[in-house]
Amino acid sequence: MNQDDLKRAVAVAAIEYVPADCIVGVGTGSTANFFIDELAKIRHKIRGAVASSEASAKRLKGHGIEVFALNDAGDLPVYVDGADEITRHMHMVKGGGGALTREKIVAAASRKFICVCDESKLVDVLGRFPLPVEVIPMARSSVARQLVALGGQPALREGFTTDNGNLILDVRGLQIMNPVELESTLDHIAGVVTNGLFARRPADVLLLGTVSGVKTMTAQ
Ligand code: 5RP
């Protein structure tokens, strides 16, 4: 089994969490793409989807799945998305694909967050993956200086603009011992739109793709 097989297996498992006749929240990235492909197989059983990125919206539409604006959809029963890292407490680092802001918005509007990952993403402590921080362009340097003051080493994601027209700083070297507190601290820096810590609103269920099958986990 390769990594794509594990991603496909968790995408198949996630379909069980999609109620009939609903609008489903859909994440971004390679694992979310497998989920979109599975969703296409049951498209006649759902009303449609809210996408967390332009890329996911395009893929959904390509499969003939109606894409709703979140403002028109109201609260969603379920949001399905991948992660760059996740702990047993269901705290995550996300934003490797740069869609963190819309991901956090759609997740916040959803009653259940189903995280779909292959087993390489499960960690004891967050922080090996550089933490993405979306910043308003005029605040790039001042935010970077404050991230350095917090012990981080920010690097501009070169040649990348988010769907919201902003920049991403990828931050290495942060000690993420208290993800809930750090998420709030980073959000309070003027010019930060969103940071990639998803700890205040953790996942409800993790579907973890392993060589021995899909494991279903909840917060420990
Ligand atoms: C995109 C994300 C993705 O969920 C994260 O990067 C994981 O992606 P993949 O499934 O390709 O490993 O947060 O902004």
Side-chain angles (χ1 to χ4, degrees):
M1 262 196 162
N2 62 30
Q3 208 175 20
D4 278 354
D5 294 328
L6 301 181
K7 291 177 182 182
R8 194 176 297 107
V10 291
V12 170
I15 292 293
E16 296 298 316
Y17 290 82
V18 178
D21 206 30
C22 81
I23 299 177
V24 56
V26 174
T28 298
S30 57
T31 319
N33 281 346
F34 280 114
F35 175 68
I36 293 170
D37 297 347
E38 292 304 316
L39 206 53
K41 298 176 187 168
I42 61 153
R43 67 176 171 274
H44 302 299
K45 294 185 183 162
I46 60 168
R47 284 174 61 202
V50 170
S52 63
S53 64
E54 300 298 338
S56 290
K58 191 173 169 205
R59 195 175 185 98
L60 286 158
K61 286 177 192 164
H63 280 307
I65 297 170
E66 187 172 353
V67 175
F68 290 84
L70 182 61
N71 287 325
D72 298 329
D75 280 354
L76 309 175
V78 66
Y79 177 66
V80 179
D81 198 358
D84 298 301
E85 289 184 335
I86 184 163
T87 68
R88 287 175 176 77
H89 301 294
M90 303 291 119
H91 297 149
M92 295 162 279
V93 165
K94 290 183 46 55
L100 60 163
T101 297
R102 295 188 186 193
E103 291 173 341
K104 208 174 267 196
I105 292 168
V106 183
S110 302
R111 287 192 285 283
K112 208 170 233 189
F113 187 142
I114 311 296
C115 183
V116 281
C117 285
D118 68 82
E119 58 192 343
S120 68
K121 306 293 184 66
L122 184 64
V123 298
D124 290 328
V125 181
L126 300 174
R128 198 180 51 211
F129 191 91
L131 181 67
V133 179
E134 180 165 350
V135 297
I136 301 285
M138 72 169 285
R140 186 195 69 218
S141 296
S142 63
V143 170
R145 285 194 293 278
Q146 291 180 73
L147 291 169
V148 169
L150 288 169
Q153 297 137 30
L156 180 67
R157 197 177 292 185
E158 294 288 347
F160 186 85
T161 304
T162 70
D163 285 347
N164 314 307
N166 298 315
L167 304 173
I168 298 276
L169 295 172
D170 289 304
V171 190
R172 293 181 185 278
L174 289 172
Q175 295 286 319
I176 311 185
M177 302 317 290
N178 187 337
V180 173
E181 194 178 274
L182 185 61
E183 183 178 357
S184 293
T185 301
L186 295 175
D187 275 354
H188 283 101
I189 299 174
V192 167
V193 179
T194 318
N195 73 84
L197 281 169
F198 284 55
R200 282 177 302 193
R201 197 269 181 260
D204 297 295
V205 176
L206 167 62
L207 298 174
L208 190 71
T210 77
V211 284
S212 48
V214 176
K215 284 188 186 157
T216 304
M217 299 171 67
T218 52
Q220 288 177 2

